[in-house]
Amino acid sequence: MQRNILGIAILILGIGLMLIGPMFAYYVTFNESSIYEMGEQENRFMWQSFFTIAGRWFLGGVLLIGVSEVIRLLVSINNHIYNDRKQTREKGKRMTDDESGYSQTTEREQTDMQEEWNLRPADEEKIYRIFNNEAILEMRLAPIKGYCVVKLQDKDSPINPYVKVIEVTETVAKEVRNAEIRKRVLEWYNAQ
């Protein structure tokens, strides 16, 4: 995590301006407001000048504190994004094939989640072929490229629909056996 040295320095400077401002305004106002009467000097305190000068310093301090908070927020967002990317890279490196032979999430699948894709008529035909004994109620593209959710129902049984995750990236469509991918796609589908 990176430190926010610039933001802290600007914050301290802003607080310093807010504290020093009234003292400086008092000094300037008291020394400028002299009245000479018959050779004698009389010092009067001018409240209007004091509040004008102190107000400028106070406003400058508030603005600097605001800038330091914006810098702190930007550094926080940057650190959050950096940590998320770092975790994603580490997760992509750690995930390999499990014992069942089905590949888990890879960096390629992570980037596929961000790509938009369309279900081609040939892909729909593949899905209809593997579910020729069931009624297909709905086909919805998953956020991961090459996967879709199919809502099915047995033709001969009462209304009891169920959902399957299908991969259509190869020459034949097949049901996804990878628990991680199936879980992520079903969570996305249930959130819809």
Side-chain angles (χ1 to χ4, degrees):
M1 186 166 156
Q2 299 174 355
R3 293 197 53 162
N4 183 8
I5 297 171
L6 179 64
I8 293 170
I10 292 175
L11 176 69
I12 292 170
L13 183 63
I15 292 171
L17 284 178
M18 291 173 67
L19 295 175
I20 294 172
M23 291 184 279
F24 179 76
Y26 176 78
Y27 174 77
V28 170
T29 305
F30 192 74
N31 287 334
E32 283 184 359
S33 57
S34 304
I35 298 177
Y36 292 97
E37 287 184 19
M38 290 191 220
E40 292 183 20
Q41 181 179 0
E42 182 182 336
N43 289 333
R44 281 193 198 166
F45 190 76
M46 303 294 285
W47 287 103
Q48 182 180 6
S49 297
F50 173 78
F51 285 121
T52 302
I53 295 170
R56 289 179 185 167
W57 282 71
F58 187 81
L59 183 60
V62 169
L63 289 175
L64 284 177
I65 290 172
V67 168
S68 74
E69 286 299 307
V70 168
I71 291 172
R72 184 189 61 81
L73 180 63
L74 290 174
V75 167
S76 172
I77 290 170
N78 186 34
N79 288 340
H80 183 70
I81 290 171
Y82 174 77
N83 289 337
D84 284 350
R85 285 183 181 166
K86 186 177 177 183
Q87 288 174 353
T88 302
R89 272 190 241 118
E90 288 174 359
K91 188 176 180 182
K93 289 177 184 175
R94 277 186 287 152
M95 298 226 172
T96 57
D97 292 344
D98 61 1
E99 295 90 33
S100 62
Y102 297 104
S103 63
Q104 293 182 349
T105 306
T106 63
E107 287 181 15
R108 183 185 73 69
E109 289 172 354
Q110 300 250 342
T111 57
D112 287 347
M113 283 190 78
Q114 297 168 353
E115 289 183 33
E116 288 190 27
W117 68 288
N118 294 320
L119 195 62
R120 299 174 304 178
D123 295 332
E124 288 182 23
E125 195 174 308
K126 294 176 200 174
I127 294 171
Y128 281 113
R129 265 192 239 133
I130 62 171
F131 296 115
N132 59 0
N133 293 332
E134 288 110 345
I136 297 178
L137 303 175
E138 177 184 20
M139 275 191 265
R140 188 178 287 181
L141 297 175
I144 304 174
K145 185 176 180 182
Y147 296 93
C148 66
V149 178
V150 180
K151 190 173 188 180
L152 303 162
Q153 175 184 325
D154 289 331
K155 289 181 181 176
D156 301 329
S157 66
I159 298 177
N160 189 13
Y162 53 95
V163 176
K164 291 192 177 190
V165 179
I166 306 299
E167 181 179 7
V168 290
T169 56
E170 298 179 7
T171 56
V172 229
K174 63 180 180 180
E175 186 177 351
V176 175
R177 301 277 185 226
N178 184 321
E180 178 71 24
I181 293 174
R182 187 175 40 210
K183 178 183 172 194
R184 285 191 346 203
V185 171
L186 289 177
E187 285 175 355
W188 166 82
Y189 179 76
N190 291 330
Q192 298 290 315

